[in-house]
Amino acid sequence: MTSPDRVRADARRNRERVLAAARAVFAERGLDAPMAAVARRAGVGVATLYRHFPTRDALVREAFARQRETCSRALAEALAAADPWDGLRHLVETVCALHREERGFPAAFLAAFPGAAPEHARLGRRAERDLALLVRRARESGALRPDFHPSDLVMALVAHCGMVAALPDDAAASRRLVAYLLQSFRADRANAPLPPPSALSLGALLSTARGPGGLSPSSSRRPGTRG
Amino acid sequence: MTSPDRVRADARRNRERVLAAARAVFAERGLDAPMAAVARRAGVGVATLYRHFPTRDALVREAFARQRETCSRALAEALAAADPWDGLRHLVETVCALHREERGFPAAFLAAFPGAAPEHARLGRRAERDLALLVRRARESGALRPDFHPSDLVMALVAHCGMVAALPDDAAASRRLVAYLLQSFRADRANAPLPPPSALSLGALLSTARGPGGLSPSSSRRPGTRG
DNA sequence: CCGTAAACGGACGATCGCGTCCGCTTCCAG
DNA sequence: CTGGAAGCGGACGCGATCGTCCGTTTACGG
């Protein structure tokens, strides 16, 4: 059962090339871009891709491992911060910055959700416990509103993530939403100035007639749906 | 160029059947469910479906026409309200309730976005103008914070919509997010009690190991991406 | 009741993505 | 240097969806 441990150098190299290609392709074409596109971009045969990552899930998971690592670290840092509110803010801002900056990650983040709870909950449980502790401390410090619930943090992250997924180019909107949310979580209302608003317009959202090319290009589906 | 005007009764009936089926199927299987599935559900041949709605976009647009109509009406009502803040709240709550209650609509709402601005901007322009007016009035009434920008409303709607798309069953999270956002938009901070929190957990979001079936079932893509 | 035009439906060819299979190449230990 | 095992790559068979084409059915005005 003990695997060779010694991996051929070219294999390791190819693995990295595939991961980089996957990030690029997922960022450009969405999480369900053809596997072949990833392989081509990596300069590698499909078989090699499938050998390293038997399923799309495995590939996505590995491709964004660093990002998840960053999230996880941000939680630890938040917990270690001298002021729990600062910790909370740090957590939110770190995760949201990741959503904003790492193209394709929001989709992976959202996609991770529905199937999240079932098994493996090892690290998940721990994260939950840490979050609960952080929230309790921040509430007790008086900075966080007393009716704040840990799930509100998740709610905020998912909402932000969903917005970024829909509007991947609007960093202004992302920053502004984060600022609004953080302000609404404070117990007092230190109305710190908000970052500048985005250029979003109501556009055709309420319009009845729609031009061509409206929704067709990658018609989008709800990320969280059991097959 | 003048079309017959007189449409056969069965044609009209089939059209309605297809629209109802489309809403059902889109709700269950996402916006890019097979056209054939819609046809089957409607008890109709594919050809009939394609005759009435030449493209998927056309079908989606028509299927959710009533919902868009409701949004549009909500804006008008908001503008007509005696108190502009009440109007704004009504608008947000109406649209978000729609997101929450009409399965499939959030995806359509989001999908409508990226291609929104280009042409047809007729109704869009008007909506924008109305919104700007509403916002100005609400600011001047003192209820809405002075640094609120009309795009913030769109930002909030897209964020809420994104969250609902990711967590279609969590009405509690939806209501709570709306409450947080509305509170954060107030100039004063009338800390009205929030609706109860959701049962969301951090789950495996930060977890490194992921069990099987994590993201695979309908792997989700960013709704707004030009092909 | 009847004829016609409109509407219907399902079969069909084309396209696309998946994941495997197998012959060839490359690494590296001895 | 050399042999063998690990790794590689692309062709291939499969299944799903698309959108059209055409023979058949149905509504309805006269």
Side-chain angles (χ1 to χ4, degrees), chain A residues 75-121:
Chain A
L75 179 53
E77 290 163 357
L79 215 48
D83 177 23
W85 168 262
D86 282 346
L88 201 72
R89 187 163 43 74
H90 169 73
L91 176 59
V92 172
E93 277 171 353
T94 303
V95 175
C96 290
L98 220 49
H99 289 164
R100 184 190 308 138
E101 285 153 18
E102 192 68 39
R103 284 288 159 130
F105 180 55
F109 192 90
L110 284 181
F113 236 103
E119 49 273 313
H120 78 280

Side-chain angles (χ1 to χ4, degrees), chain A residues 27 29 57 68 120 124 145 152 176 180 183 189 191 203-205 207-208 213 215-217 221-222 225-226, chain B residues 27 29 57 68 113 120 124 145 152 176 180 183 189 191 203-204 207-208 213 215-217 221-222 225-226:
Chain A
R29 312 230 252 140
D57 285 18
R68 259 179 311 130
H120 78 280
R145 54 192 296 168
D152 292 339
R176 198 154 233 252
Y180 270 124
Q183 284 191 16
R189 265 51 178 348
N191 247 0
L205 265 195
S207 135
T208 296
L215 358 103
S216 48
R221 78 191 320 178
R222 300 200 318 284
T225 300
R226 256 31 261 243
Chain B
R29 312 230 255 141
D57 285 19
R68 261 178 310 129
F113 236 101
H120 76 280
R145 53 192 294 168
D152 291 339
R176 198 155 233 253
Y180 271 126
Q183 285 192 15
R189 261 62 174 344
N191 247 1
S207 136
T208 296
L215 357 102
S216 50
R221 77 190 324 178
R222 301 199 316 286
T225 302
R226 250 43 249 244

Side-chain angles (χ1 to χ4, degrees), chain B residues 22-206:
Chain B
R23 274 185 295 269
V25 170
F26 287 153
E28 284 171 15
R29 312 230 255 141
L31 233 45
D32 48 6
M35 296 295 254
V38 175
R40 201 170 334 113
R41 167 84 74 128
V44 139
V46 256
T48 298
L49 193 164
Y50 279 108
R51 192 170 315 110
H52 285 296
F53 310 99
T55 68
R56 179 184 298 275
D57 285 19
L59 177 57
V60 172
R61 199 181 321 137
E62 298 296 317
F64 293 107
R66 207 182 333 273
Q67 284 73 17
R68 261 178 310 129
E69 168 64 21
T70 300
C71 290
S72 168
R73 190 163 354 105
L75 178 55
E77 290 163 357
L79 215 50
D83 175 24
W85 168 262
D86 283 345
L88 201 71
R89 187 164 42 74
H90 169 74
L91 176 58
V92 171
E93 277 172 353
T94 303
V95 174
C96 289
L98 221 47
H99 289 163
R100 184 188 311 137
E101 285 155 18
E102 192 68 37
R103 282 287 159 131
F105 180 54
F109 191 90
L110 284 181
F113 236 101
E119 48 272 316
H120 76 280
R122 208 63 36 81
L123 247 165
R125 293 255 183 248
R126 183 196 169 112
E128 243 171 293
R129 200 155 36 77
D130 287 354
L131 175 60
L133 179 57
L134 179 63
V135 165
R136 190 167 345 114
R137 284 189 194 156
R139 272 193 309 228
E140 283 166 5
S141 84
L144 186 62
R145 53 192 294 168
D147 54 355
F148 189 92
H149 185 275
S151 72
D152 291 339
L153 192 275
V154 182
M155 172 204 79
L157 292 182
V158 173
H160 175 268
C161 192
M163 196 198 67
V164 171
L167 306 165
D169 289 316
D170 200 332
S174 159
R175 275 187 258 266
R176 198 155 233 253
L177 178 62
V178 170
Y180 271 126
L181 287 170
L182 283 175
Q183 285 192 15
S184 73
F185 294 160
R186 294 272 313 181
D188 63 77
R189 261 62 174 344
N191 247 1
L194 297 168
S198 94
L200 267 183
S201 97
L202 246 198
L205 264 196
L206 305 181

